[in-house]
Amino acid sequence: LTDEIVSLDVSKPLTPSKRVLRIGATSVDFDQQEEKIYIASSNSIYSVNFNGSDFKRIFETEGGVMNYGFASIADICVDWIGRNIYYAELYTGNIYVSTMNGKYRTAVAKGIPLLHSITLSMLDKEIIYSTWQSVSDSGIYKVSMDGRSSVTKIHNSDTAGSKPWGLLVDYEEKRLYWITKLDEDSEDSIKSSNLDGSRVVQLKKGATNLVNFLAVHQDQVYYFDEERETVTSFNKSNGADTGYQAKITGWAGISGVGMVHPTQQPWVYSKCGQGRSPCEHLCLLTPETTDFFRCQCSLGYTEISMLGCVQDRKFAVMVTDSGIYEVNTNTEALPRQLPVRITPSVDRVHVNPVSQEIIFLDSSLGRIARTTLEGDLTKSLIENSLEDARELQVDYVNKLMFWIKGDTLQVADIDGKYRRTIQKSGMSGANQLLVDSLSGVLRWVETENKSWKRETRKLTIKSAKYSGETLTTIPIPSDSVHSLASSQDHNALIWVNKVTNTIEFIRLNDTSSNVNVVTINVPEGTVSHVSMINSEIYYRVETAPSENGDVVGYLYKTSMSDFSEHTRVTKIPAVKHLLLYDATQNFWRGEIKEIQSNDTLVDYVTAATYCEGEYGGTLAVVKDSDQNTEILQQLRGDEMWIGLFRSEEGWSWHGGYMSVYSNWAPEQPDDFSSTVESRYAVMGTDGKWFGRGEGEKRGFICERVTQSNPCRDRGCSHLCLPSKSGATCACPEYISLGPDGKTCGASPCETAGCEQGCYLTSELKPVCTCRPGQVARVAHGKKICTISPSALIIATSNSIVYRSLHAAVPYVSTIFQSYVQQTSSLAVNADDNEAYYSDGISNEVFKIEKVGTENELVSQLFREKLVNVSGIVDMAYDWLDGRLYYVLHIPQGYMIKRRKVKDLLDYQDLLTEVEPITSLWLHSTHKYMYYTLSDGDVKRCSLEGKHCKVIYSADVNGGVKVHAVTSDPRTKTLYLSTASSVIKTDLEGKDPVTHITHDKDQPSQPAVAVFGDTFYWVVADKHGDVVTRTKRSAELKGGTKNQKLYHAQLEYASTGQYETVKKIAILDPDLYLAEPTTSAVSSKASLVAGVVSGLAIIVILVVIVVFVRLKRRGFTFLSYERLRRTEHNLMENMGDVTYDNPVYEFDGEEMDDPADRLVHLPAPLMTSSAKNQNVEDYNMEVSLHGYENEYEMSDDEHDTSIFDNDRI
């Protein structure tokens, strides 16, 4: 059904349907052999056992949802003979096949317009599919299951607008069945034909929209009657009704069907399904080979003779207004949007293929930042004075970053620690900066306008060394230079000429300024961007607008060796920057190598010694498939040693190279016995690698570097700027280079004593920083980072922000820049240190784990599957029951649902309101749910959504509308937030009184929170939303004093639009210490409680006696909660005073701050009373949340070596 999978026993008409699994699905099929159901849901495929157990996601489709926001898989079919799954993607028009575990998959049919339904004819080894395109092309087609045969149309739509779908094969009769739909006002019909499309028979003609989905068993065809919400059948021979009807329990609309019976999947012998597959990746059935199967490589792999399936790791990365997209250039899948949140001011990114990291410049935030391709924690590398910076380029070979700032050209190391200006003027007209890591040269385009006339405009490409020394100026005889890119392999520059709609390139010559421009014409559309990798040119074109105004963009590729052949790769969105990278590239470029093979049979150590001593190099290092093929061509004999060996750290290459590329043979590297100390690698005649033992003898392949990177052995302490003539060491402007020409003086940050991070202000003053969730403070004379016990979590329209409440000068950090279209709500789970936020457009809920640590992990929790949901309005978390409550905007109004966080299939629909629900709040301790309505009323219900009543009426209270409810869970007080005040009342809503009046800083929207004696809310000022706080006590002298805590950041610098704070929440375990209450207690429970209370009194008396006796013996008990409460009260009363070194009282003595919230025993605790006891050892027992440790004290009061900083 639309929101669950159910089973129905067709042999028992009166038996109701039984739920198998709660999930929204678009199609289902089954595998009789393993007794599993396969489910297509949105853009993923899942499997579950017939009994509903072992539910899991197999894979997510390559194309994903992209910009569509809804399901992309239209239909799935199980190949029970070849052990594969076929599925149709609606928006790519592709039919894909996958292994049943989802490990390998590829497209077997591509670009089918309006692809709708597929089925498999296992007897003929063919895919049968239907399309809903034009009248002449709409119909039913077939193609071989490996996609290699020609496409044959087997049925024409016999009526204009006829739409065939619901395809089904009857293996007993060898017939094909389908449903024919016309428009909304026409009748449906069921037809059948032979598998080749002959002998078409109309079996059934029903009322309007009566027929939905087909199943066949024995002599009956089953279909779904939407009007009666029943399963009905007719005789497949004559179409006569059988009288069978079965009511579907919990009908919510049909979205797919599969008839489960052994006759539905007759067994046929195939090599693909017999134990171990004969293919490396996919084994596909086909009628065109003698063995009736064909091996095929997965998406992202290329079949190479002798090498098998070799991974193609070339990717195109596109920067768009809506985010960053990536696509494998060897597939035809749609690009997937990376979960990396960037602002619209980011116009280019740079990818490190080895570390899978991205570096980008965000001028609106004035920073250069780094994150991963999977959107993990974004880290600022440089975050000062970069608002006018542009044209960031990254040289991963030499680990340098370059950018233009105003009229200057600047450089920094790749971690942003050291920064230097290399050109102090003359860069105002520069754009499209490029780096050449091989020669250490920067290039950029410069436009010189000598007058207002267009014909006097002059385009030049200028170059300079990394050190800033100007080299050449090359005049370009072109009208336009856009999307400039380079190829170091071909020593060429390439760009788009927008005036002539062509691609142009030049080959560089160091000795001449005269260039020959080569023109490449594109086959269709308007070219917008170009990039190069190795010998391949990739470019984006846009088609002319269609009748409805849509413009489609495609990624094309051609070759430097043949401009006549252009291949369409895939459909891509509008881009601001197009980048190509090879994931097998390992950044030892800048080195030119020679390879030599030697067929002398020696052991590995002898071969390595020869290559290093006699040849002056190492055993061959393989960085990618191209070099693997190159070395294979040098192979003499059966196997030869290469430079790969096993060390304690694992498999390593000679020279310390790190590689992501590997080409091990199946089941290699194998395990040797423990008596063999070393293992080494050989390359076989098929190019595959094998592990071999010590003492075995083989030939070997050497390589040596004839041109190396000059920075490798230069020894620069800060910056190394390479060039063809050598390398220059450099320092930031505020540090001088030492007399050795290599070493720079100390940076102010290096002497600041910061524990974690540091940056310099514009006055070159060091500022210590800490990771999210920690605060910087001074303790024991050191600047350390300590864990913050409480924080304010702020959900903005495009990010989740962590704001420490632990210090008067707290730490603010964006812990996650969301991969969402618009954040709509937030809830926190302090017990598990998690936060949940919702995407108001895609109806997804995400989970952030380990909030406030350096290891935040963000993942999708679930996507709401209800039909026609317009968004998630608000959320709240029940910390006692572990359930997430959320408000949905649905066609009928507004619905409140709840779902177990740790059992997502356990969810309930609680209630529905016609009036818009504007906010939601839970008081878990007293088991109440509160929500506000658009008319300003507040309703209270039980957590089950029952016994609802209005506890606050805007009409009764002078028209004052409440827009949010909050409370401290440890109290019985509610706070109702209005546009001009905070109203205080009890949990019943009785006796409301005005508690705080907002004379200014009025709330901008319903985002409020209470913690202890402090009230937090959101206001709007001219610079965007601001989170403020005030004491919630109404008796404060002089009125309330507001303090700004967080200021929304500028999002669109050019338009002045800002991100919006959507909701705030307090993350602190202390808020959830209260015990739950119950309305009634049974007499038996009361008796038990009485007995327990009596025993507790006895235990307390015993503890008191023991405590007094231990006190007399010198023991001191230190309460962690006491320390924490003292610290909290100190913080709250310190106002704007910097929180550097708080003081704790310990039995009349003062003790220093215990560093990162842990108890230490410093020297001041060694009181004279302890010495007077004349005991050799003095024990102090410290009780910390149930952990007890004894520390032995030295007689020497100055000896503190026994006190470590370990956590207790």
Side-chain angles (χ1 to χ4, degrees), residues 400-433:
L400 296 170
M401 300 185 294
F402 299 87
W403 65 92
I404 300 172
K405 183 179 185 299
D407 199 29
T408 66
L409 180 60
Q410 299 187 352
V411 63
D413 67 288
I414 206 165
D415 293 319
K417 293 173 63 177
Y418 311 117
R419 175 176 167 186
R420 180 180 180 85
T421 300
I422 56 176
Q423 283 205 7
K424 297 185 178 181
S425 62
M427 298 297 294
S428 59
N431 60 83
Q432 302 184 69
L433 183 66

CSV table of all heavy atoms in Angstrom, one decimal, residues 400-433:
chain,number,residue,atom,x,y,z
A,400,LEU,N,49.7,24.1,-1.0
A,400,LEU,CA,49.6,25.6,-1.0
A,400,LEU,C,48.2,26.0,-1.4
A,400,LEU,O,47.6,25.4,-2.2
A,400,LEU,CB,50.7,26.2,-1.8
A,400,LEU,CG,52.2,26.0,-1.4
A,400,LEU,CD1,53.1,26.5,-2.5
A,400,LEU,CD2,52.5,26.6,-0.1
A,401,MET,N,47.8,27.2,-1.0
A,401,MET,CA,46.6,27.8,-1.4
A,401,MET,C,46.9,29.3,-1.9
A,401,MET,O,47.7,30.0,-1.3
A,401,MET,CB,45.6,27.9,-0.3
A,401,MET,CG,45.1,26.6,0.3
A,401,MET,SD,43.8,26.8,1.5
A,401,MET,CE,44.6,27.7,2.8
A,402,PHE,N,46.3,29.7,-3.0
A,402,PHE,CA,46.5,31.0,-3.5
A,402,PHE,C,45.2,31.7,-3.7
A,402,PHE,O,44.2,31.0,-4.1
A,402,PHE,CB,47.3,31.0,-4.9
A,402,PHE,CG,48.6,30.4,-4.8
A,402,PHE,CD1,48.8,29.0,-4.9
A,402,PHE,CD2,49.7,31.2,-4.7
A,402,PHE,CE1,50.1,28.4,-4.9
A,402,PHE,CE2,51.0,30.6,-4.6
A,402,PHE,CZ,51.2,29.3,-4.7
A,403,TRP,N,45.1,33.0,-3.6
A,403,TRP,CA,43.9,33.7,-3.8
A,403,TRP,C,44.2,35.2,-4.1
A,403,TRP,O,45.3,35.7,-3.7
A,403,TRP,CB,42.9,33.6,-2.7
A,403,TRP,CG,43.3,34.2,-1.4
A,403,TRP,CD1,43.1,35.5,-1.0
A,403,TRP,CD2,44.1,33.6,-0.4
A,403,TRP,NE1,43.7,35.7,0.3
A,403,TRP,CE2,44.3,34.5,0.7
A,403,TRP,CE3,44.7,32.3,-0.2
A,403,TRP,CZ2,45.0,34.2,1.8
A,403,TRP,CZ3,45.4,32.0,0.9
A,403,TRP,CH2,45.6,32.9,1.9
A,404,ILE,N,43.3,35.9,-4.7
A,404,ILE,CA,43.4,37.3,-5.0
A,404,ILE,C,42.6,38.0,-3.9
A,404,ILE,O,41.4,37.7,-3.7
A,404,ILE,CB,42.9,37.7,-6.4
A,404,ILE,CG1,43.8,36.9,-7.4
A,404,ILE,CG2,43.0,39.2,-6.6
A,404,ILE,CD1,43.2,37.1,-8.8
A,405,LYS,N,43.2,39.0,-3.2
A,405,LYS,CA,42.5,39.8,-2.2
A,405,LYS,C,42.6,41.3,-2.6
A,405,LYS,O,43.7,41.8,-2.5
A,405,LYS,CB,43.0,39.5,-0.8
A,405,LYS,CG,42.3,40.3,0.3
A,405,LYS,CD,42.9,39.9,1.6
A,405,LYS,CE,42.1,40.6,2.8
A,405,LYS,NZ,42.1,42.0,2.7
A,406,GLY,N,41.5,41.9,-3.0
A,406,GLY,CA,41.6,43.3,-3.5
A,406,GLY,C,42.6,43.4,-4.7
A,406,GLY,O,42.3,42.8,-5.7
A,407,ASP,N,43.7,44.1,-4.5
A,407,ASP,CA,44.7,44.3,-5.5
A,407,ASP,C,45.9,43.5,-5.3
A,407,ASP,O,46.9,43.7,-6.0
A,407,ASP,CB,45.0,45.8,-5.5
A,407,ASP,CG,45.7,46.2,-6.8
A,407,ASP,OD1,45.4,45.6,-7.9
A,407,ASP,OD2,46.6,47.1,-6.8
A,408,THR,N,45.8,42.5,-4.4
A,408,THR,CA,47.0,41.7,-4.0
A,408,THR,C,46.8,40.3,-4.3
A,408,THR,O,45.7,39.8,-4.5
A,408,THR,CB,47.3,41.9,-2.5
A,408,THR,OG1,46.3,41.3,-1.7
A,408,THR,CG2,47.5,43.3,-2.1
A,409,LEU,N,47.9,39.5,-4.4
A,409,LEU,CA,47.9,38.1,-4.6
A,409,LEU,C,48.6,37.5,-3.3
A,409,LEU,O,49.7,37.8,-3.0
A,409,LEU,CB,48.7,37.7,-5.8
A,409,LEU,CG,48.8,36.2,-6.2
A,409,LEU,CD1,47.5,35.6,-6.4
A,409,LEU,CD2,49.7,36.1,-7.4
A,410,GLN,N,47.9,36.5,-2.7
A,410,GLN,CA,48.3,36.0,-1.4
A,410,GLN,C,48.5,34.4,-1.5
A,410,GLN,O,47.8,33.8,-2.4
A,410,GLN,CB,47.4,36.4,-0.3
A,410,GLN,CG,47.3,37.8,-0.1
A,410,GLN,CD,46.5,38.2,1.1
A,410,GLN,OE1,45.8,37.4,1.8
A,410,GLN,NE2,46.4,39.5,1.5
A,411,VAL,N,49.3,33.9,-0.6
A,411,VAL,CA,49.5,32.4,-0.5
A,411,VAL,C,49.5,32.0,0.9
A,411,VAL,O,49.8,32.8,1.8
A,411,VAL,CB,50.9,32.1,-1.2
A,411,VAL,CG1,52.0,32.7,-0.4
A,411,VAL,CG2,51.1,30.6,-1.2
A,412,ALA,N,49.1,30.8,1.2
A,412,ALA,CA,49.1,30.2,2.5
A,412,ALA,C,49.4,28.7,2.4
A,412,ALA,O,49.1,28.1,1.3
A,412,ALA,CB,47.8,30.5,3.3
A,413,ASP,N,49.9,28.1,3.4
A,413,ASP,CA,50.0,26.6,3.4
A,413,ASP,C,48.6,26.1,3.5
A,413,ASP,O,47.6,26.8,3.8
A,413,ASP,CB,50.8,26.2,4.6
A,413,ASP,CG,50.1,26.4,5.9
A,413,ASP,OD1,50.0,27.6,6.3
A,413,ASP,OD2,49.6,25.5,6.5
A,414,ILE,N,48.4,24.8,3.2
A,414,ILE,CA,47.1,24.2,3.0
A,414,ILE,C,46.3,24.1,4.2
A,414,ILE,O,45.1,23.9,4.2
A,414,ILE,CB,47.3,22.8,2.3
A,414,ILE,CG1,46.0,22.4,1.5
A,414,ILE,CG2,47.6,21.7,3.3
A,414,ILE,CD1,46.2,21.3,0.6
A,415,ASP,N,46.9,24.2,5.4
A,415,ASP,CA,46.2,24.2,6.7
A,415,ASP,C,45.9,25.7,7.2
A,415,ASP,O,45.3,25.8,8.2
A,415,ASP,CB,47.0,23.5,7.7
A,415,ASP,CG,47.2,22.0,7.4
A,415,ASP,OD1,46.2,21.4,7.0
A,415,ASP,OD2,48.3,21.5,7.6
A,416,GLY,N,46.3,26.7,6.4
A,416,GLY,CA,46.0,28.0,6.7
A,416,GLY,C,46.8,28.6,7.9
A,416,GLY,O,46.5,29.7,8.4
A,417,LYS,N,47.9,27.9,8.3
A,417,LYS,CA,48.7,28.4,9.4
A,417,LYS,C,49.6,29.6,9.1
A,417,LYS,O,49.8,30.5,9.8
A,417,LYS,CB,49.6,27.3,10.0
A,417,LYS,CG,48.8,26.2,10.6
A,417,LYS,CD,49.7,25.0,11.0
A,417,LYS,CE,50.7,25.4,12.1
A,417,LYS,NZ,51.6,24.3,12.5
A,418,TYR,N,50.2,29.6,7.9
A,418,TYR,CA,51.1,30.6,7.4
A,418,TYR,C,50.6,31.3,6.2
A,418,TYR,O,50.3,30.6,5.2
A,418,TYR,CB,52.5,30.0,7.2
A,418,TYR,CG,52.9,29.1,8.3
A,418,TYR,CD1,53.2,27.7,8.2
A,418,TYR,CD2,53.1,29.6,9.6
A,418,TYR,CE1,53.6,26.9,9.2
A,418,TYR,CE2,53.5,28.8,10.7
A,418,TYR,CZ,53.8,27.5,10.5
A,418,TYR,OH,54.1,26.6,11.5
A,419,ARG,N,50.6,32.6,6.2
A,419,ARG,CA,50.0,33.4,5.1
A,419,ARG,C,51.0,34.5,4.7
A,419,ARG,O,51.6,35.1,5.5
A,419,ARG,CB,48.7,33.9,5.6
A,419,ARG,CG,47.9,34.8,4.7
A,419,ARG,CD,46.6,35.2,5.4
A,419,ARG,NE,45.9,36.3,4.8
A,419,ARG,CZ,44.8,36.8,5.3
A,419,ARG,NH1,44.3,36.3,6.4
A,419,ARG,NH2,44.2,37.8,4.7
A,420,ARG,N,51.0,34.7,3.4
A,420,ARG,CA,52.0,35.7,2.9
A,420,ARG,C,51.4,36.4,1.6
A,420,ARG,O,50.7,35.7,0.8
A,420,ARG,CB,53.3,35.1,2.6
A,420,ARG,CG,54.4,36.0,2.0
A,420,ARG,CD,55.7,35.3,1.8
A,420,ARG,NE,56.7,36.2,1.3
A,420,ARG,CZ,57.5,36.9,2.0
A,420,ARG,NH1,57.4,36.8,3.3
A,420,ARG,NH2,58.4,37.7,1.5
A,421,THR,N,51.7,37.7,1.4
A,421,THR,CA,51.3,38.4,0.2
A,421,THR,C,52.5,38.3,-0.7
A,421,THR,O,53.6,38.7,-0.4
A,421,THR,CB,51.0,39.9,0.5
A,421,THR,OG1,49.9,39.9,1.4
A,421,THR,CG2,50.6,40.6,-0.8
A,422,ILE,N,52.3,37.8,-2.0
A,422,ILE,CA,53.4,37.6,-2.9
A,422,ILE,C,53.4,38.7,-4.0
A,422,ILE,O,54.4,38.9,-4.7
A,422,ILE,CB,53.4,36.2,-3.5
A,422,ILE,CG1,52.1,35.9,-4.2
A,422,ILE,CG2,53.7,35.2,-2.4
A,422,ILE,CD1,52.0,34.5,-4.8
A,423,GLN,N,52.2,39.3,-4.2
A,423,GLN,CA,52.1,40.5,-5.1
A,423,GLN,C,51.3,41.5,-4.4
A,423,GLN,O,50.1,41.3,-4.1
A,423,GLN,CB,51.6,40.2,-6.5
A,423,GLN,CG,52.5,39.5,-7.4
A,423,GLN,CD,52.2,39.7,-8.9
A,423,GLN,OE1,51.4,40.4,-9.2
A,423,GLN,NE2,53.0,39.0,-9.7
A,424,LYS,N,51.8,42.7,-4.2
A,424,LYS,CA,51.2,43.7,-3.3
A,424,LYS,C,50.3,44.7,-4.1
A,424,LYS,O,49.7,45.5,-3.5
A,424,LYS,CB,52.2,44.5,-2.5
A,424,LYS,CG,52.9,43.5,-1.5
A,424,LYS,CD,53.9,44.3,-0.6
A,424,LYS,CE,54.6,43.4,0.4
A,424,LYS,NZ,55.5,44.1,1.3
A,425,SER,N,50.3,44.6,-5.4
A,425,SER,CA,49.5,45.5,-6.2
A,425,SER,C,49.3,44.9,-7.6
A,425,SER,O,50.0,43.9,-8.0
A,425,SER,CB,50.1,46.9,-6.3
A,425,SER,OG,51.4,46.8,-6.9
A,426,GLY,N,48.4,45.5,-8.4
A,426,GLY,CA,48.3,45.1,-9.8
A,426,GLY,C,47.4,44.0,-10.1
A,426,GLY,O,47.3,43.5,-11.3
A,427,MET,N,46.6,43.5,-9.2
A,427,MET,CA,45.7,42.3,-9.4
A,427,MET,C,44.3,42.7,-9.5
A,427,MET,O,43.4,41.8,-9.5
A,427,MET,CB,46.0,41.3,-8.3
A,427,MET,CG,47.4,40.8,-8.2
A,427,MET,SD,47.9,39.8,-9.6
A,427,MET,CE,46.8,38.4,-9.5
A,428,SER,N,43.9,44.0,-9.5
A,428,SER,CA,42.5,44.3,-9.5
A,428,SER,C,41.8,43.9,-10.7
A,428,SER,O,40.6,43.6,-10.7
A,428,SER,CB,42.4,45.9,-9.4
A,428,SER,OG,43.0,46.5,-10.5
A,429,GLY,N,42.5,43.8,-11.9
A,429,GLY,CA,41.8,43.3,-13.1
A,429,GLY,C,42.0,41.8,-13.4
A,429,GLY,O,41.6,41.4,-14.5
A,430,ALA,N,42.6,41.1,-12.4
A,430,ALA,CA,42.9,39.7,-12.7
A,430,ALA,C,41.7,38.8,-12.3
A,430,ALA,O,40.9,39.1,-11.4
A,430,ALA,CB,44.0,39.3,-11.8
A,431,ASN,N,41.5,37.8,-13.1
A,431,ASN,CA,40.4,36.8,-12.8
A,431,ASN,C,40.8,35.4,-13.4
A,431,ASN,O,41.8,35.3,-14.1
A,431,ASN,CB,39.1,37.3,-13.4
A,431,ASN,CG,39.1,37.4,-14.9
A,431,ASN,OD1,39.0,36.5,-15.7
A,431,ASN,ND2,39.4,38.7,-15.4
A,432,GLN,N,40.1,34.4,-13.0
A,432,GLN,CA,40.3,33.0,-13.5
A,432,GLN,C,41.8,32.6,-13.2
A,432,GLN,O,42.5,32.1,-14.1
A,432,GLN,CB,40.0,32.9,-14.9
A,432,GLN,CG,38.6,33.3,-15.3
A,432,GLN,CD,38.2,33.1,-16.7
A,432,GLN,OE1,38.1,32.0,-17.2
A,432,GLN,NE2,38.0,34.2,-17.4
A,433,LEU,N,42.1,32.6,-11.9
A,433,LEU,CA,43.5,32.2,-11.4
A,433,LEU,C,43.6,30.7,-11.6
A,433,LEU,O,42.7,30.0,-11.3
A,433,LEU,CB,43.7,32.7,-10.0
A,433,LEU,CG,45.0,32.4,-9.3
A,433,LEU,CD1,46.1,33.3,-10.0
A,433,LEU,CD2,44.9,32.7,-7.8
